Amino acid sequence: MSKYIPTIGIEVHVELKTKTKIFSSSENGYGQMANSLVNEVDLGYPGTLPTLNEEVINLGIKAATILNCKIRKQMFFDRKNYFYPDNPKNYQITQNRTPIGYDGYVEIEDNGVKKKIYIEEMHIEEDTCKSTHRKDKTLLDFNRAGVPLIEIVTKPCMTSSHEAKLYLEKLKELLFYADVSDCKMEEGSMRADANVSIRKNESDPFGTKAEIKNIGSISNVGLSIEKEIERQTKLYDNGETFKEQTRRFDDKLGDTVLMRVKETGNDYRYFPEPDIPFVIITDEMIENVKKTIPMLPDERREVYKNLGVSDINTTKLVQNRSLSDYFNELLNEKINFQVASNLLLGDISAYLNKNEKLITDTTLSKDRFLELVKLMDDKTLTSKNLKDILDDILESDKSIKDIIKEKGIENITDDKEIREVIKTIIEANPESVNDYKNGHDRAIKFLMGQVMKETKGKVNPGLAMEILTEELK
Amino acid sequence: MKYLEKPIKEINDLLKKGTIKPIDLVEEAFERIESDKDLNAYITLNKEEALEKARELEGKEVDNLLFGIPIAIKDNILTKDLRTTAASHILDNFIPIYDATVVEKIKEKNMIIIGKTNMDEFAMGSSSRTSYFGAPKNPWNNNKISGGSSGGSATTIAARHVPFALGSDTGGSIRQPASYTGIVGMKPTYGRVSRYGVIAFASSLDQLGPMTQNVLNNALLLNVISGHDSHDMTSSHREVEDYTRLIGKDIKGKKIAVPKFLMSDIVDSEIIEKIESVIEMLKENGAVVDYVDMKYLDNAVTLYQIIAMGEASSNLARFDGIRYGLSAKDPKSHEDLYLETRREGFGKEVKRRIMVGSYLLSGDNAKTYYNKALSIRDDMATEFDKVFEKYDYVIGPTTTTTAYNLDDPMDDPSKSFMDDVLVIPVNMAGLPGLNIPVGFDKNHMPIGMHIIGNKFQEAEMYRLGSFIEKELDLDLNPKGGK
């Protein structure tokens, strides 16, 4: 155990899922040809002015709401002035003095213990353009310039890399479910900076901090925090100190690397953006946005559990938003939800993954799915049957019953008929019956095999097993 | 050929009848400009394109009063495919890829853009002498300045080259040169005219406006350029009215305030006397005129400098040699590119204002200076509100002196701001201000009167302006003969 207490704060930038950029009518898109989603505003052309995209304000309100933030009713934008080639106007329009959201929290759960990670503030700003360095040249792609961002800043309230990772996972899940951002760290639509310091006792002031910038994955956030704690611990143990600094995580080294020591008086010359009037957020706007927030992951997990869905299925369902959304359409039905979740997460998921489809791309309407769940639940269909007819179920509009008929699936569902077959088999195999009664469990499997053989697989194995066990008593 | 000096309605009739064609007006304009080349009114002429446009218009219906009429555009207003320099070396090769909203509006009316007028570099100055292309000259006396920053537009209008010009006014840059050259210049209410496509100097103060030889033309051009623009969030949604509708109407019973500060000893006595004589004339015609005390007017210049230079330092940051304009050759690094491009590209006054502005916004200074200036500015606006509760207009002289000599020293940086001491409060309060020529000094240099209106009261201001224009009936042609 380390003898130091780490203090960690996280800053996250997420790109908002809007049609157009924050201050211009250019498309907000990823992966397009360089400089194809650009107009004179994005290029910081002389004479251009920003026009605020209303969608951004609405997504800002949404994010603030789901992060339990208070919402600023009257806000403005500020200019952050600094020269850099990726900054087209050499100032960035951001919110320094009136962030849209403040004093919020995200609740994480660590081994059943809940903890609130406090959000200091969240503000709206524009993204910079993307620079790529080639030998002695720098190439600039302005497609990203002006993409709307929100920056979410926690208080320095986390004490381990594990907590930081849980926070990021939770944040990502929330923003993704609320359709605020697609939160793809690999595409840069979610980026994290971690502020790390350590101290001996909780009563001590915070130690000198290092900021690790632009970490590309949640696991690397965890790794870089651990490495940083290790580095700082070594320094303190050797009686050394260090200056406040900015570092980055080097993937190949698996360690943090110094970028720059914080210069004193880093001065962004903030002042209120004169080209954008005050933005007034009314209660009505907030209410309208709230109506668009879907059921969030925590509530989904709670609801699924209460419907009898297993823990593992609950977790898996919530990990897949399109399946979870599909599942949510069924919540008022009287069905076996465990069976329904098994279906979705089992063969249907396998099909969807193989064919790279979403459930909404298939022909499985709600009514047909309900029919399927009932047929599985009352054991009319076996899982083997399901495998045989799944493609038809997901690709045609026929009713499940018609498909069953077409495929010639006639399961013996009559108890009496099955019992007759089983009795015959017991009579014909006295040794196996004897073995079973002597405690050789394997014998029952042999007998089951005989039953399936006799019925050509048309009995429900579960049902047959039940009757066989009874008959063997 | 003297069509361009005819009243706009006559020109319009001649065009409608087919007696003249737009190309006749364009050719006449270029003849006038070329014979006055030494006035240095233009940075870039648009001759070929203007002639082509005039030919293009020949088949079209003359559907509005400004159809086919030549217009000059200040060179900080972007014109697609036509060089726009803001009188700066840093943009002397800059060909815009889009039109400013006002230029779009002018083109919609089929006005013909003759060229881009000279000005102070990035509109920073009050004599147009900070222009990279040399200062324009005053048509009344070629040794005198025509004022600034819209000096080229003032020169070309005063010299009768064209009937219409656009200027921009951040701290008097339309009204002061209008006063120095004896023309009509309006700075509309902040937000009345879109700023989209105007190279920003101080965003919270900049406003475009018409510069013309008479009040009617001024109002006609304001009709064209006004209105909300979805590209400019600071532009007003207020409906555009017909700004000519009160021209020629009576002023009986109108209440006029004259702030004592504007008639104090900072103003030349000759100018005071002239304004007083106009005030007498207005009283004789039934206007009620009171001298009033107004707070904050004497602070306006200081506050203006803080706000204007602070905003300018940020607005001009984009000129870095990367995407457009001048770009230093073979830079060693991107910092080097910034330093070399900006050192070479910006003139002395612009550099001075960027440095002062950056200082004013640095660290705690932003609180001490910029934020405080913004709050006193609100107080100043409130002070005007109070006056406008009782009065229809606030009037005074536009400038403290008439135009001075081109070779007067430029070594006192605050001089250029003090030239605008009487007009700056209007920008600070976001109000409209109008210069009307009211006479001449002993050297026959024009004197202007400043009419300040309440927000969006431009039509009312044209009422008073046109009344004075009609009553005084001055000969405002520098070459004489009206």
Side-chain angles (χ1 to χ4, degrees), chain A residues 25 39-41 43-52 79 81 83-91 97 140 142 267-277, chain B residues 78 94-95 97-98 195-199 203-204 230-234 311 313-315 317-320 322-324 334 338 342 358 361-363 366 370-371 374:
Chain A
S25 56
N39 67 14
E40 68 260 20
V41 178
L43 287 169
Y45 234 67
T48 55
L49 298 170
T51 47
L52 181 59
R79 286 192 190 174
N81 293 284
F83 277 85
Y84 205 73
D86 70 4
N87 187 10
K89 302 181 290 297
N90 288 317
Y91 60 80
R97 268 166 275 200
L140 299 171
F142 289 82
D267 185 353
Y268 290 118
R269 289 174 285 127
Y270 284 105
F271 73 100
E273 168 56 81
D275 291 328
I276 304 176
Chain B
L78 266 66
F94 176 61
I95 314 285
I97 55 170
Y98 75 102
R195 293 184 293 117
Y196 194 74
V198 183
I199 298 174
S203 313
S204 69
S230 60
H231 286 108
D232 177 3
M233 295 187 78
T234 64
E311 291 178 10
S313 70
S314 171
N315 283 331
R318 68 186 64 197
F319 302 102
D320 58 10
I322 293 180
R323 288 142 297 140
Y324 41 73
H334 69 256
Y338 295 151
R342 290 164 72 82
S358 301
L361 292 175
S362 290
Y370 187 82
N371 293 357
L374 286 186

Side-chain angles (χ1 to χ4, degrees), chain A residues 346-403:
Chain A
D347 293 323
I348 292 176
S349 279
Y351 170 90
L352 296 175
N353 290 339
K354 196 178 118 202
N355 295 287
E356 291 179 351
K357 279 185 182 174
L358 291 176
I359 185 122
T360 44
D361 300 333
T362 70
T363 58
L364 191 61
S365 64
K366 179 179 164 188
D367 286 345
R368 294 174 74 238
F369 182 66
L370 290 172
E371 192 187 350
L372 183 61
V373 173
K374 278 181 185 137
L375 291 170
M376 292 299 292
D377 191 27
D378 68 12
K379 304 194 169 79
T380 308
L381 276 178
T382 66
S383 36
K384 185 183 174 299
N385 295 152
L386 180 67
K387 284 191 174 64
D388 292 340
I389 61 172
L390 190 68
D391 285 7
D392 270 1
I393 293 177
L394 297 175
E395 290 166 12
S396 81
D397 287 326
K398 295 172 212 162
S399 80
I400 313 283
K401 283 205 174 97
D402 287 348
I403 295 171

